[in-house]
Amino acid sequence: MKPLSRKHIACGILLLTLLPKWASSQHTNTLNVKLDGETKTLQIQQEFIYKNTSKETLEQLYFNDWAHAYSDKNTALAKSFAEQFKKSLHLAKDEERGFTDINSAVDDDYRGLVWERTSGKDIIKIKLNKPLYPNQEAKLFLTYSVKLPPTKYTPYGYNNRNEYYLKDWYLTPAVFDGKWHLYSNKNLEDLYTDATTTNVNLIYPEELFLATNYLVLGNTRFPGGRQAQLEGNQQKNCKLILSPINGFITHVTDYMTVQTDLNPSSKDPILPSLAIDRVTKFIYDNLGRYPHAKLLISKIDYNKSPLYGINQLPKFIRPYDERFQYEMKILKTALINILEETMYLDPRKEQWLGDAIANYLMIAYVEEFYPDQKLLGKLSRIWGIRSFNLAKMGFNEQYPFVYLGLARKNLNQPLITPNDSLIVANQKAGNKYNAGLGLSYLASYIGKEKVDKSIKTFYQYYQLNRVRVLDFESILKRSADQDIDWFFNNYVYSDRIIDYKIKKVKKTKDSLKITLKNKEGTVVPISMFGLKNDSVVSKYWFSNIEKERTVTIPRNEEERLVLNYDKKIPEFNQRDNWKSLGGFLSGNKKLKLTFLKDSENPFLNQIFYTPVLDFNIYDGWYPGMRLHNKTLLERPFQFDVSPSYSFREKSFVGGGSLNYRKYLSKTGLYFANYRISGSSKHFNVNSRFSTLTPSITFGWRPDDLISNKKQFLSFRYLNIFRDIDKNLTDLRNDPENPDYSVFNVRYRYLDNHILNYKSWFLDFQQANNFTKISAEIEYRKLFDNNRQVNLRLYAGKFLWNNTNSEFFSFALDRPTNYLFDYSYLGQSEDSGIYSQQLVIAEGGFKSILDDQFRFSNDWLITANSSVNLWRWIELYGDIGLVKNKGIKQKFVYDSGVRLNLVTDYFELYLPLYSNNGWEVAQPDYGEKIRFIVTVDIKTLTGLFTRKWF
């Protein structure tokens, strides 16, 4: 016999090292399942053998029951949806809910087990009849039915095409590692369960085809149905996709077997095989062999985590080559599924590492196979688009771009933030991209081969076992020659931004003396490039710069020095990253005018121009040109001017602003905004108003960024200048001075929640001839019976009032808008359709009452309410007291029907009964109908983006 080589001995030692991990298969699970296609119910008999691999004696076990998260309005899933302004689960009918009905739970002695649901309702606690000691096993027999939910809430359940997508559909063991990890279903794809050896005997309707991530041992047809035997060895969950159409194709490659229904748009029969072969080889080269029999890649899985960006545009304007787009879809979905099914990290608290590896490998894939791929794809070559800086960005530049888009809004969160504490934008993209970018940054610093080797070693050694981030950290530190504590301490565990600048450069004949400044104090390495004719002639890394550091480098014909030139580092501000080594004028940034908007170019001064067209009934349609410096990423200082021309009034109108926003911290007092704005438009025929308003606003928010609670304190000084046409005698004879100034202080609290909306404010106004205070409280509640109630209270009082008209008075139904806060289509209209526009402010009444009590120059108290009858049809009612000087207070009221089509954006009010009597029976009823409409683009955009931020 030949003696063993060193290689064989090393492999043997590694096998012995790994053997305890592979042998630690904890649990065995056997399921007999029948799908009832009529009732959309799974009938399940489950035999579960739980092995206690901990050092603790267990008195109870916990199981995840994720299907029960759909059972009512108060589960963690329903509450999570409400935070994202989704009320579909809250409004669902009983027959549209999912739930688990447990019929029996017994042990191996057939003694009944006591069980109960925890507060989250989707985790079951089972009390054992006898203690379960370390290394002992307990056998449980569970009989239950699972009513599947429709896919209208999440991708899981059934749809109206008789298709089923089932994942986490049966009871799975929660993880115990000295303490129980109990995570409720919040639609975050982060079920935390132990791997099991599972056998499933599945009976399902005969018209359906089955696809699964488990190994199919057999599938037979019998009268009225099909029966399949499935096996999963050391897998966490069994995915089932059942459909009347068999859309899945199996691709067998040298590296793994892939079953997928994710197909390219083109009809090229060879493309899928070529693409999947390249992707699977790349994964094999960078991770190693996939340990399961096959990998399931479905359209549903891809749609849960798509390639965000312009690739989601309609097919007829898709900018990417078909093969590139298909490979990226397959690659992303494959990596997510592989890491989920083989790397057993804590998916709620340590998911960032899986995201980091997946996105790092996606970056590496593009660098290897598509290094010249542009972010805009084919669009970057089109005349009119190719001059944009965005068109010149590489595909991989989207990673820092997306992260910085959130960081510039002060919404970035540490990578270690638990999934259920991330805002949606970070959970879907921001943190995932930043995690992958972080590994790419580290690879640039210590060497790509070291990071690649660390990832592969980590994957091969720890796959199919519980693993922690600390294990990866240990491998990575052993691979690196440099100190990389900064990566974990200052990048992973921190939300502090990275920002360096070149403060000054001193030139000598043969060297450059450079002073680098760390603007934010985040101590991480920074790269510096020397450029000549836009070609890199030198590159250096500098580390341990806490505040400032002066370094000396040899001179190598550099014309410019640029920090982070390759943009591997997600640096907050790159506009001060470069220094010219030429004369004074060579250091000046050139000015570039760009149509519409663009990404930020740190080497240019950018001004954007956009044609605009606005309307009001006095100026008519007035076209203009908007000039601003707002890039696709938020900037601290912004200017915005819009000079326009009113053809109706034959004069220039428009407005503009200068704005500086300073983010002070992540929570608490988190921003200060300094602004000066002005405008000039017409408010009547040949009558112009102009405003000039300096203001300061402070904002507060809680530690939980998901919370919709915010507080604001604003100070502003409004200066209004009016020029009134001499023919408008009513306005000309108004005793109030046409020009006036108002100092305004307002504090506002807002909790913008779809189930419980709360807001209130205190307002103080001081002018030359009056001082007034007011307060408002608004509350909206959506009850469990789907009844919604709206309540609003308003009170206002003049502390002193020396005015001689109603212009500054409190209004019962239509404020005069002397502060120009409201977007009236017709500012001065008192008849016609524009006068019927309603703004819920001050009195908040909808009916127009007697002129004597339509305004108040002393005090006003009102209450507004509404309750829904059916969906968006509501009844409203208002009551109040109006007090004018020298007149006894008057009790006022009105009522009617509210058509609440889109709350605060589009509503109709139909008056019924008020102090005027039965209004519906009175003449000209159409003129009494009031409406709320929002036409401002920025406000409308907020309606669609609020769930992300």
Side-chain angles (χ1 to χ4, degrees):
M1 179 183 294
K2 295 174 63 177
L4 292 175
S5 67
R6 289 184 179 181
K7 181 178 179 181
H8 288 118
I9 294 172
C11 290
I13 293 173
L14 179 60
L15 181 61
L16 289 174
T17 305
L18 293 175
L19 186 59
K21 297 178 178 292
W22 284 83
S24 65
S25 175
Q26 297 182 13
H27 316 303
T28 304
N29 193 20
T30 303
L31 296 159
N32 290 299
V33 186
K34 181 179 180 181
L35 170 62
D36 188 326
E38 294 295 323
T39 63
K40 311 299 183 187
T41 302
L42 297 171
Q43 302 293 338
I44 301 175
Q45 293 178 330
Q46 182 173 6
E47 176 187 303
F48 196 92
I49 300 174
Y50 186 100
K51 184 175 181 180
N52 182 7
T53 58
S54 74
K55 298 178 182 179
E56 306 290 331
T57 298
L58 301 179
E59 303 285 344
Q60 63 272 328
L61 303 178
Y62 289 88
F63 284 81
N64 302 296
D65 183 9
W66 274 38
H68 206 72
Y70 303 88
S71 61
D72 64 38
K73 307 169 190 285
N74 297 304
T75 63
L77 180 63
K79 292 176 181 177
S80 179
F81 280 169
E83 289 171 344
Q84 300 172 30
F85 298 93
K86 298 177 183 178
K87 54 183 178 181
S88 56
L89 188 55
H90 187 93
L91 299 176
K93 301 175 182 177
D94 288 343
E95 59 270 22
E96 296 177 320
R97 298 193 177 280
F99 55 86
T100 301
D101 186 9
I102 298 179
N103 299 319
S104 68
V106 299
D107 61 15
D108 53 353
D109 294 326
Y110 296 99
R111 292 188 298 166
L113 295 167
V114 177
W115 64 271
E116 62 181 3
R117 295 192 178 276
T118 62
S119 58
K121 299 189 178 183
D122 56 5
I123 296 173
I124 294 174
K125 175 183 176 181
I126 298 179
K127 186 177 180 180
L128 300 174
N129 290 322
K130 54 186 177 182
L132 180 59
Y133 298 105
N135 297 317
Q136 298 298 309
E137 294 180 345
K139 183 180 291 187
L140 289 72
F141 297 92
L142 307 168
T143 304
Y144 55 96
S145 62
V146 176
K147 172 65 172 65
L148 300 173
T151 56
K152 61 190 291 187
Y153 319 117
T154 69
Y156 307 119
Y158 65 90
N159 60 29
N160 55 13
R161 298 186 298 275
N162 198 29
E163 296 171 332
Y164 300 81
Y165 177 52
L166 308 182
K167 179 188 176 188
D168 310 323
W169 47 272
Y170 54 90
L171 299 182
T172 61
V175 170
F176 181 82
D177 58 5
K179 66 175 182 178
W180 288 102
H181 296 269
L182 307 178
Y183 301 152
S184 286
N185 178 1
K186 296 183 179 180
N187 193 34
L188 297 173
E189 301 294 327
D190 60 356
L191 173 72
Y192 196 17
T193 183
D194 273 325
T196 63
T197 296
T198 300
N199 290 280
V200 180
N201 181 43
L202 174 67
I203 296 174
Y204 59 97
E206 63 179 334
E207 71 273 12
L208 300 179
F209 293 93
L210 170 68
T212 177
N213 62 326
Y214 273 25
L215 180 64
V216 180
L217 301 177
N219 195 330
T220 58
R221 183 194 296 266
F222 62 90
R226 291 175 179 266
Q227 185 170 4
Q229 291 78 41
L230 315 176
E231 180 183 72
N233 184 26
Q234 285 293 93
Q235 288 183 260
K236 290 196 295 184
N237 57 70
C238 177
K239 295 180 183 177
L240 301 176
I241 300 177
L242 296 157
S243 174
I245 300 173
N246 185 13
F248 282 85
I249 299 174
T250 300
H251 299 266
V252 180
T253 74
D254 293 337
Y255 314 102
M256 69 182 74
T257 298
V258 175
Q259 187 177 13
T260 183
D261 64 343
L262 191 60
N263 299 310
S265 301
S266 70
K267 303 301 181 182
D268 184 350
I270 303 177
L271 191 154
S273 296
L274 293 176
I276 291 174
D277 189 70
R278 174 187 278 184
V279 169
T280 54
K281 182 180 185 305
F282 176 82
I283 293 173
Y284 176 80
D285 290 343
N286 286 274
L287 290 180
R289 185 165 296 280
Y290 182 60
H292 298 310
K294 65 178 177 180
L295 177 67
L296 183 71
I297 301 176
S298 68
K299 290 179 183 177
I300 301 171
D301 283 336
Y302 169 73
N303 290 333
K304 288 186 298 184
S305 185
L307 293 167
Y308 291 103
I310 59 174
N311 50 286
Q312 292 177 290
L313 293 172
K315 291 181 180 179
F316 65 91
I317 52 174
R318 289 284 169 85
Y320 298 126
D321 176 78
E322 183 65 37
R323 177 166 179 175
F324 169 75
Q325 183 156 301
Y326 182 66
E327 285 179 13
M328 295 305 293
K329 286 183 176 181
I330 290 290
L331 176 66
K332 181 172 186 178
T333 312
L335 286 171
I336 291 173
N337 286 349
I338 287 171
L339 293 169
E340 177 186 290
E341 295 192 20
T342 59
M343 298 302 298
Y344 300 155
L345 290 156
D346 183 328
R348 182 152 294 180
K349 295 181 179 179
E350 297 184 318
Q351 178 60 33
W352 74 266
L353 181 53
D355 294 333
I357 294 173
N359 284 278
Y360 171 78
L361 292 178
M362 289 181 67
I363 293 171
Y365 188 89
V366 173
E367 288 177 345
E368 180 175 346
F369 297 109
Y370 299 95
D372 299 322
Q373 179 66 51
K374 297 298 183 183
L375 179 59
L376 296 188
K378 299 172 185 176
L379 299 178
S380 63
R381 299 193 293 267
I382 297 176
W383 181 89
I385 297 178
R386 64 190 179 203
S387 62
F388 283 83
N389 191 60
L390 188 66
K392 299 172 184 177
M393 290 172 59
F395 185 83
N396 282 343
E397 289 186 64
Q398 67 178 299
Y399 293 92
F401 188 75
V402 169
Y403 163 73
L404 288 173
L406 291 160
R408 292 279 187 93
K409 294 178 180 291
N410 200 27
L411 291 172
N412 58 307
Q413 295 173 272
L415 293 180
I416 59 168
T417 304
N419 261 4
D420 58 349
S421 295
L422 291 171
I423 64 170
V424 174
N426 281 326
Q427 196 269 328
K428 294 289 187 182
N431 273 36
K432 296 178 186 292
Y433 283 15
N434 191 33
L437 187 62
L439 283 183
S440 184
Y441 172 18
L442 185 64
S444 181
Y445 180 61
I446 68 172
K448 185 176 185 300
E449 68 286 350
K450 292 183 174 63
V451 173
D452 290 350
K453 182 180 179 181
S454 297
I455 290 173
K456 192 167 185 177
T457 300
F458 176 71
Y459 180 80
Q460 291 179 337
Y461 185 79
Y462 286 106
Q463 63 178 245
L464 303 182
N465 292 277
R466 285 191 213 151
V467 63
R468 302 173 302 164
V469 168
L470 288 175
D471 298 315
F472 179 70
E473 182 178 345
S474 177
I475 292 173
L476 202 56
K477 285 182 176 179
R478 287 198 300 269
S479 299
D481 298 325
Q482 304 95 319
D483 178 9
I484 60 170
D485 282 341
W486 61 267
F487 177 71
F488 294 95
N489 296 336
N490 298 335
Y491 192 95
V492 172
Y493 301 142
S494 172
D495 62 357
R496 295 184 63 181
I497 57 179
I498 301 169
D499 198 4
Y500 284 85
K501 69 175 289 186
I502 300 176
K503 187 175 181 181
K504 60 183 178 181
V505 178
K506 185 177 180 179
K507 296 175 287 185
T508 65
K509 184 177 180 180
D510 57 358
S511 65
L512 298 171
K513 197 173 185 179
I514 307 155
T515 301
L516 302 176
K517 182 178 180 179
N518 186 345
K519 295 166 63 179
E520 294 293 333
T522 307
V523 183
V524 296
I526 185 71
S527 60
M528 186 175 72
F529 294 77
L531 302 182
K532 181 180 180 181
N533 296 326
D534 294 328
S535 296
V536 176
V537 296
S538 61
K539 178 184 178 182
Y540 303 90
W541 281 96
F542 303 104
S543 57
N544 300 318
I545 304 174
E546 295 187 1
K547 293 183 179 179
E548 285 188 8
R549 181 181 169 190
T550 300
V551 298
T552 302
I553 63 171
R555 195 159 183 175
N556 193 25
E557 298 184 337
E558 293 93 346
E559 295 175 347
R560 282 189 298 171
L561 297 176
V562 184
L563 299 178
N564 190 24
Y565 180 69
D566 57 358
K567 299 180 182 178
K568 290 287 187 181
I569 307 170
E571 198 183 0
F572 188 77
N573 175 23
Q574 297 180 26
R575 294 189 299 275
D576 52 9
N577 272 18
W578 70 285
K579 282 286 185 182
S580 172
L581 300 181
F584 174 75
L585 293 178
S586 66
N588 293 335
K589 295 182 180 181
K590 295 179 180 179
L591 177 66
K592 183 180 181 182
L593 292 173
T594 305
F595 183 60
L596 293 178
K597 222 173 193 180
D598 199 1
S599 60
E600 191 172 86
N601 188 330
F603 306 114
L604 297 172
N605 286 316
Q606 297 167 286
I607 295 180
F608 306 100
Y609 63 94
T610 309
V612 293
L613 183 65
D614 280 324
F615 173 82
N616 67 54
I617 63 173
Y618 312 111
D619 290 307
W621 292 102
Y622 52 98
M625 186 64 67
R626 181 186 174 212
L627 301 171
H628 63 93
N629 70 334
K630 299 179 181 179
T631 63
L632 294 174
L633 299 180
E634 184 177 301
R635 305 177 69 168
F637 173 74
Q638 296 178 344
F639 69 84
D640 195 335
V641 295
S642 301
S644 302
Y645 187 76
S646 168
F647 286 100
R648 180 171 293 180
E649 288 289 338
K650 295 181 173 57
S651 63
F652 285 97
V653 294
S657 65
L658 301 174
N659 196 87
Y660 177 75
R661 173 166 290 198
K662 175 66 175 177
Y663 288 111
L664 305 172
S665 66
K666 188 64 64 180
T667 58
L669 177 59
Y670 77 102
F671 83 83
N673 196 82
Y674 308 90
R675 178 182 175 88
I676 182 167
S677 61
S679 64
S680 184
K681 298 176 185 177
H682 291 88
F683 68 95
N684 213 317
V685 177
N686 198 28
S687 299
R688 177 188 293 269
F689 76 89
S690 301
T691 68
L692 182 64
T693 306
S695 64
I696 302 175
T697 302
F698 301 97
W700 288 263
R701 66 186 179 196
D703 292 340
D704 179 12
L705 294 190
I706 292 180
S707 171
N708 295 305
K709 296 177 182 178
K710 287 184 174 63
Q711 300 172 68
F712 304 96
L713 177 63
S714 63
F715 302 85
R716 58 177 177 166
Y717 188 62
L718 296 97
N719 299 278
I720 313 296
F721 311 96
R722 294 184 294 168
D723 184 11
I724 302 174
D725 185 81
K726 61 182 179 180
N727 295 317
L728 298 175
T729 55
D730 289 345
L731 291 176
R732 295 285 297 181
N733 296 329
D734 193 309
E736 303 299 340
N737 190 313
D739 301 337
Y740 58 91
S741 298
V742 180
F743 175 65
N744 178 218
V745 181
R746 173 171 288 198
Y747 174 83
R748 187 184 185 203
Y749 171 89
L750 174 66
D751 183 3
N752 188 14
H753 197 282
I754 200 169
L755 302 182
N756 290 284
Y757 173 94
K758 299 183 284 289
S759 73
W760 60 272
F761 72 72
L762 296 173
D763 188 90
F764 171 83
Q765 296 177 25
Q766 172 70 57
N768 288 333
N769 50 2
F770 70 86
T771 302
K772 63 195 298 189
I773 58 172
S774 61
E776 176 190 284
I777 301 174
E778 187 173 1
Y779 179 71
R780 290 199 294 261
K781 171 71 174 178
L782 181 61
F783 291 94
D784 285 352
N785 62 1
N786 296 337
R787 184 76 65 199
Q788 179 167 295
V789 172
N790 301 264
L791 297 172
R792 177 179 175 271
L793 299 175
Y794 179 83
K797 168 66 178 171
F798 279 94
L799 300 182
W800 73 279
N801 186 1
N802 195 30
T803 61
N804 296 305
S805 74
E806 303 295 355
F807 187 62
F808 298 108
S809 295
F810 297 110
L812 189 63
D813 72 282
R814 182 178 165 91
T816 59
N817 200 22
Y818 60 89
L819 298 180
F820 295 94
D821 285 339
Y822 312 125
S823 300
Y824 284 134
L825 299 176
Q827 171 72 30
S828 304
E829 298 305 290
D830 54 14
S831 63
I833 185 66
Y834 296 106
S835 70
Q836 295 173 237
Q837 183 183 357
L838 177 67
V839 172
I840 304 297
E842 300 189 8
F845 268 54
K846 292 78 188 178
S847 294
I848 300 174
L849 305 184
D850 190 294
D851 285 346
Q852 186 178 16
F853 296 100
R854 195 176 179 188
F855 296 94
S856 167
N857 58 22
D858 191 355
W859 56 263
L860 172 72
I861 299 175
T862 60
N864 317 117
S865 65
S866 66
V867 60
N868 66 311
L869 298 177
W870 178 78
R871 292 190 178 179
W872 39 266
I873 299 177
E874 304 178 6
L875 285 179
Y876 73 82
D878 307 314
I879 58 173
L881 290 172
V882 181
K883 176 68 171 66
N884 280 293
K885 290 187 292 186
I887 304 176
K888 185 179 179 181
Q889 67 266 20
K890 171 75 172 180
F891 176 72
V892 290
Y893 59 91
D894 72 0
S895 61
V897 175
R898 176 190 186 191
L899 304 182
N900 186 7
L901 302 174
V902 183
T903 303
D904 298 332
Y905 291 85
F906 185 49
E907 306 175 20
L908 290 175
Y909 291 83
L910 311 175
L912 293 179
Y913 190 73
S914 69
N915 292 83
N916 297 329
W918 283 102
E919 301 200 35
V920 70
Q922 295 173 1
D924 301 320
Y925 179 73
E927 297 178 4
K928 299 176 183 291
I929 296 173
R930 308 296 293 275
F931 65 89
I932 290 175
V933 63
T934 297
V935 295
D936 179 71
I937 297 299
K938 184 176 181 180
T939 304
L940 285 172
T941 302
L943 175 64
F944 302 103
T945 60
R946 58 185 179 173
K947 71 177 182 179
W948 286 81
F949 307 107

